PDB file of all heavy atoms in Angstrom:
ATOM      1  N   VAL A 297      28.471 -15.885 -50.998  1.00 94.00           N
ATOM      2  CA  VAL A 297      29.801 -15.986 -51.593  1.00 94.00           C
ATOM      3  C   VAL A 297      30.877 -16.023 -50.506  1.00 94.00           C
ATOM      4  O   VAL A 297      31.826 -16.813 -50.575  1.00 94.00           O
ATOM      5  CB  VAL A 297      30.066 -14.817 -52.558  1.00 94.00           C
ATOM      6  CG1 VAL A 297      31.493 -14.844 -53.061  1.00 94.00           C
ATOM      7  CG2 VAL A 297      29.087 -14.877 -53.713  1.00 94.00           C
ATOM      8  N   ALA A 298      30.709 -15.190 -49.481  1.00 95.00           N
ATOM      9  CA  ALA A 298      31.679 -15.190 -48.386  1.00 95.00           C
ATOM     10  C   ALA A 298      31.725 -16.559 -47.727  1.00 95.00           C
ATOM     11  O   ALA A 298      32.804 -17.075 -47.408  1.00 95.00           O
ATOM     12  CB  ALA A 298      31.326 -14.109 -47.373  1.00 95.00           C
ATOM     13  N   SER A 299      30.559 -17.153 -47.524  1.00 94.00           N
ATOM     14  CA  SER A 299      30.526 -18.492 -46.941  1.00 94.00           C
ATOM     15  C   SER A 299      31.239 -19.476 -47.844  1.00 94.00           C
ATOM     16  O   SER A 299      31.977 -20.354 -47.381  1.00 94.00           O
ATOM     17  CB  SER A 299      29.074 -18.943 -46.730  1.00 94.00           C
ATOM     18  OG  SER A 299      28.373 -18.003 -45.984  1.00 94.00           O
ATOM     19  N   GLY A 300      31.022 -19.325 -49.143  1.00 94.00           N
ATOM     20  CA  GLY A 300      31.690 -20.205 -50.093  1.00 94.00           C
ATOM     21  C   GLY A 300      33.200 -20.099 -49.976  1.00 94.00           C
ATOM     22  O   GLY A 300      33.920 -21.104 -49.940  1.00 94.00           O
ATOM     23  N   VAL A 301      33.679 -18.861 -49.901  1.00 95.00           N
ATOM     24  CA  VAL A 301      35.130 -18.655 -49.766  1.00 95.00           C
ATOM     25  C   VAL A 301      35.629 -19.285 -48.472  1.00 95.00           C
ATOM     26  O   VAL A 301      36.676 -19.938 -48.433  1.00 95.00           O
ATOM     27  CB  VAL A 301      35.471 -17.151 -49.799  1.00 95.00           C
ATOM     28  CG1 VAL A 301      36.925 -16.920 -49.452  1.00 95.00           C
ATOM     29  CG2 VAL A 301      35.160 -16.583 -51.162  1.00 95.00           C
ATOM     30  N   ALA A 302      34.853 -19.104 -47.400  1.00 94.00           N
ATOM     31  CA  ALA A 302      35.241 -19.677 -46.108  1.00 94.00           C
ATOM     32  C   ALA A 302      35.358 -21.194 -46.205  1.00 94.00           C
ATOM     33  O   ALA A 302      36.321 -21.801 -45.727  1.00 94.00           O
ATOM     34  CB  ALA A 302      34.224 -19.282 -45.047  1.00 94.00           C
ATOM     35  N   VAL A 303      34.355 -21.814 -46.830  1.00 93.00           N
ATOM     36  CA  VAL A 303      34.352 -23.272 -46.956  1.00 93.00           C
ATOM     37  C   VAL A 303      35.542 -23.742 -47.783  1.00 93.00           C
ATOM     38  O   VAL A 303      36.272 -24.655 -47.397  1.00 93.00           O
ATOM     39  CB  VAL A 303      33.022 -23.737 -47.594  1.00 93.00           C
ATOM     40  CG1 VAL A 303      33.122 -25.178 -48.032  1.00 93.00           C
ATOM     41  CG2 VAL A 303      31.879 -23.548 -46.616  1.00 93.00           C
ATOM     42  N   LEU A 304      35.748 -23.088 -48.934  1.00 94.00           N
ATOM     43  CA  LEU A 304      36.849 -23.507 -49.809  1.00 94.00           C
ATOM     44  C   LEU A 304      38.200 -23.294 -49.135  1.00 94.00           C
ATOM     45  O   LEU A 304      39.118 -24.114 -49.288  1.00 94.00           O
ATOM     46  CB  LEU A 304      36.785 -22.737 -51.133  1.00 94.00           C
ATOM     47  CG  LEU A 304      35.605 -23.106 -52.021  1.00 94.00           C
ATOM     48  CD1 LEU A 304      35.554 -22.212 -53.246  1.00 94.00           C
ATOM     49  CD2 LEU A 304      35.703 -24.567 -52.451  1.00 94.00           C
ATOM     50  N   SER A 305      38.338 -22.202 -48.389  1.00 93.00           N
ATOM     51  CA  SER A 305      39.610 -21.977 -47.685  1.00 93.00           C
ATOM     52  C   SER A 305      39.875 -23.087 -46.697  1.00 93.00           C
ATOM     53  O   SER A 305      41.015 -23.536 -46.540  1.00 93.00           O
ATOM     54  CB  SER A 305      39.604 -20.665 -46.908  1.00 93.00           C
ATOM     55  OG  SER A 305      39.103 -19.643 -47.656  1.00 93.00           O
ATOM     56  N   ALA A 306      38.808 -23.535 -46.027  1.00 91.00           N
ATOM     57  CA  ALA A 306      38.988 -24.596 -45.040  1.00 91.00           C
ATOM     58  C   ALA A 306      39.486 -25.864 -45.728  1.00 91.00           C
ATOM     59  O   ALA A 306      40.494 -26.461 -45.331  1.00 91.00           O
ATOM     60  CB  ALA A 306      37.682 -24.852 -44.293  1.00 91.00           C
ATOM     61  N   GLY A 307      38.779 -26.265 -46.788  1.00 92.00           N
ATOM     62  CA  GLY A 307      39.114 -27.521 -47.446  1.00 92.00           C
ATOM     63  C   GLY A 307      40.485 -27.496 -48.098  1.00 92.00           C
ATOM     64  O   GLY A 307      41.358 -28.332 -47.823  1.00 92.00           O
ATOM     65  N   TYR A 308      40.680 -26.523 -48.974  1.00 93.00           N
ATOM     66  CA  TYR A 308      41.938 -26.492 -49.709  1.00 93.00           C
ATOM     67  C   TYR A 308      43.096 -26.037 -48.843  1.00 93.00           C
ATOM     68  O   TYR A 308      44.251 -26.391 -49.087  1.00 93.00           O
ATOM     69  CB  TYR A 308      41.786 -25.641 -50.969  1.00 93.00           C
ATOM     70  CG  TYR A 308      40.975 -26.366 -52.005  1.00 93.00           C
ATOM     71  CD1 TYR A 308      39.600 -26.177 -52.110  1.00 93.00           C
ATOM     72  CD2 TYR A 308      41.579 -27.289 -52.836  1.00 93.00           C
ATOM     73  CE1 TYR A 308      38.857 -26.892 -53.026  1.00 93.00           C
ATOM     74  CE2 TYR A 308      40.838 -28.005 -53.754  1.00 93.00           C
ATOM     75  CZ  TYR A 308      39.482 -27.797 -53.846  1.00 93.00           C
ATOM     76  OH  TYR A 308      38.751 -28.513 -54.741  1.00 93.00           O
ATOM     77  N   GLY A 309      42.796 -25.255 -47.827  1.00 92.00           N
ATOM     78  CA  GLY A 309      43.839 -24.898 -46.880  1.00 92.00           C
ATOM     79  C   GLY A 309      44.381 -26.133 -46.184  1.00 92.00           C
ATOM     80  O   GLY A 309      45.598 -26.301 -46.037  1.00 92.00           O
ATOM     81  N   TYR A 310      43.468 -26.991 -45.781  1.00 91.00           N
ATOM     82  CA  TYR A 310      43.916 -28.218 -45.111  1.00 91.00           C
ATOM     83  C   TYR A 310      44.755 -29.068 -46.048  1.00 91.00           C
ATOM     84  O   TYR A 310      45.833 -29.554 -45.690  1.00 91.00           O
ATOM     85  CB  TYR A 310      42.726 -29.011 -44.592  1.00 91.00           C
ATOM     86  CG  TYR A 310      43.152 -30.310 -43.961  1.00 91.00           C
ATOM     87  CD1 TYR A 310      43.748 -30.318 -42.716  1.00 91.00           C
ATOM     88  CD2 TYR A 310      42.994 -31.519 -44.637  1.00 91.00           C
ATOM     89  CE1 TYR A 310      44.170 -31.499 -42.137  1.00 91.00           C
ATOM     90  CE2 TYR A 310      43.416 -32.702 -44.068  1.00 91.00           C
ATOM     91  CZ  TYR A 310      44.001 -32.688 -42.814  1.00 91.00           C
ATOM     92  OH  TYR A 310      44.431 -33.852 -42.257  1.00 91.00           O
ATOM     93  N   LEU A 311      44.236 -29.265 -47.258  1.00 91.00           N
ATOM     94  CA  LEU A 311      44.975 -30.089 -48.218  1.00 91.00           C
ATOM     95  C   LEU A 311      46.374 -29.530 -48.461  1.00 91.00           C
ATOM     96  O   LEU A 311      47.371 -30.257 -48.447  1.00 91.00           O
ATOM     97  CB  LEU A 311      44.231 -30.159 -49.547  1.00 91.00           C
ATOM     98  CG  LEU A 311      43.086 -31.149 -49.634  1.00 91.00           C
ATOM     99  CD1 LEU A 311      42.586 -31.212 -51.065  1.00 91.00           C
ATOM    100  CD2 LEU A 311      43.546 -32.525 -49.200  1.00 91.00           C
ATOM    101  N   GLY A 312      46.430 -28.230 -48.674  1.00 92.00           N
ATOM    102  CA  GLY A 312      47.726 -27.599 -48.925  1.00 92.00           C
ATOM    103  C   GLY A 312      48.670 -27.764 -47.749  1.00 92.00           C
ATOM    104  O   GLY A 312      49.859 -28.032 -47.919  1.00 92.00           O
ATOM    105  N   ALA A 313      48.113 -27.608 -46.534  1.00 90.00           N
ATOM    106  CA  ALA A 313      48.965 -27.726 -45.356  1.00 90.00           C
ATOM    107  C   ALA A 313      49.515 -29.130 -45.231  1.00 90.00           C
ATOM    108  O   ALA A 313      50.672 -29.340 -44.854  1.00 90.00           O
ATOM    109  CB  ALA A 313      48.167 -27.344 -44.119  1.00 90.00           C
ATOM    110  N   VAL A 314      48.688 -30.109 -45.534  1.00 90.00           N
ATOM    111  CA  VAL A 314      49.159 -31.497 -45.467  1.00 90.00           C
ATOM    112  C   VAL A 314      50.241 -31.728 -46.511  1.00 90.00           C
ATOM    113  O   VAL A 314      51.283 -32.317 -46.248  1.00 90.00           O
ATOM    114  CB  VAL A 314      47.983 -32.471 -45.682  1.00 90.00           C
ATOM    115  CG1 VAL A 314      48.491 -33.859 -45.993  1.00 90.00           C
ATOM    116  CG2 VAL A 314      47.097 -32.487 -44.463  1.00 90.00           C
ATOM    117  N   ARG A 315      49.995 -31.216 -47.708  1.00 90.00           N
ATOM    118  CA  ARG A 315      50.970 -31.408 -48.790  1.00 90.00           C
ATOM    119  C   ARG A 315      52.303 -30.773 -48.454  1.00 90.00           C
ATOM    120  O   ARG A 315      53.360 -31.337 -48.693  1.00 90.00           O
ATOM    121  CB  ARG A 315      50.376 -30.772 -50.059  1.00 90.00           C
ATOM    122  CG  ARG A 315      50.985 -31.259 -51.348  1.00 90.00           C
ATOM    123  CD  ARG A 315      50.847 -32.779 -51.497  1.00 90.00           C
ATOM    124  NE  ARG A 315      49.458 -33.224 -51.367  1.00 90.00           N
ATOM    125  CZ  ARG A 315      48.606 -33.338 -52.378  1.00 90.00           C
ATOM    126  NH1 ARG A 315      48.981 -33.024 -53.598  1.00 90.00           N
ATOM    127  NH2 ARG A 315      47.393 -33.759 -52.172  1.00 90.00           N
ATOM    128  N   LEU A 316      52.266 -29.565 -47.877  1.00 90.00           N
ATOM    129  CA  LEU A 316      53.515 -28.859 -47.599  1.00 90.00           C
ATOM    130  C   LEU A 316      54.001 -29.080 -46.173  1.00 90.00           C
ATOM    131  O   LEU A 316      55.022 -28.546 -45.771  1.00 90.00           O
ATOM    132  CB  LEU A 316      53.318 -27.348 -47.807  1.00 90.00           C
ATOM    133  CG  LEU A 316      53.027 -26.905 -49.230  1.00 90.00           C
ATOM    134  CD1 LEU A 316      52.678 -25.420 -49.245  1.00 90.00           C
ATOM    135  CD2 LEU A 316      54.242 -27.145 -50.109  1.00 90.00           C
ATOM    136  N   ASN A 317      53.224 -29.859 -45.427  1.00 88.00           N
ATOM    137  CA  ASN A 317      53.555 -30.133 -44.029  1.00 88.00           C
ATOM    138  C   ASN A 317      53.756 -28.848 -43.227  1.00 88.00           C
ATOM    139  O   ASN A 317      54.812 -28.615 -42.647  1.00 88.00           O
ATOM    140  CB  ASN A 317      54.816 -30.996 -43.947  1.00 88.00           C
ATOM    141  CG  ASN A 317      54.951 -31.628 -42.574  1.00 88.00           C
ATOM    142  OD1 ASN A 317      53.986 -31.670 -41.815  1.00 88.00           O
ATOM    143  ND2 ASN A 317      56.145 -32.085 -42.238  1.00 88.00           N
TER     144      ASN A 317
END
Side-chain angles (χ1 to χ4, degrees):
Chain A
V297 174
S299 306
V301 171
V303 167
L304 291 175
S305 314
Y308 286 94
Y310 177 74
L311 279 187
V314 164
R315 200 58 54 90
L316 294 173
N317 197 16

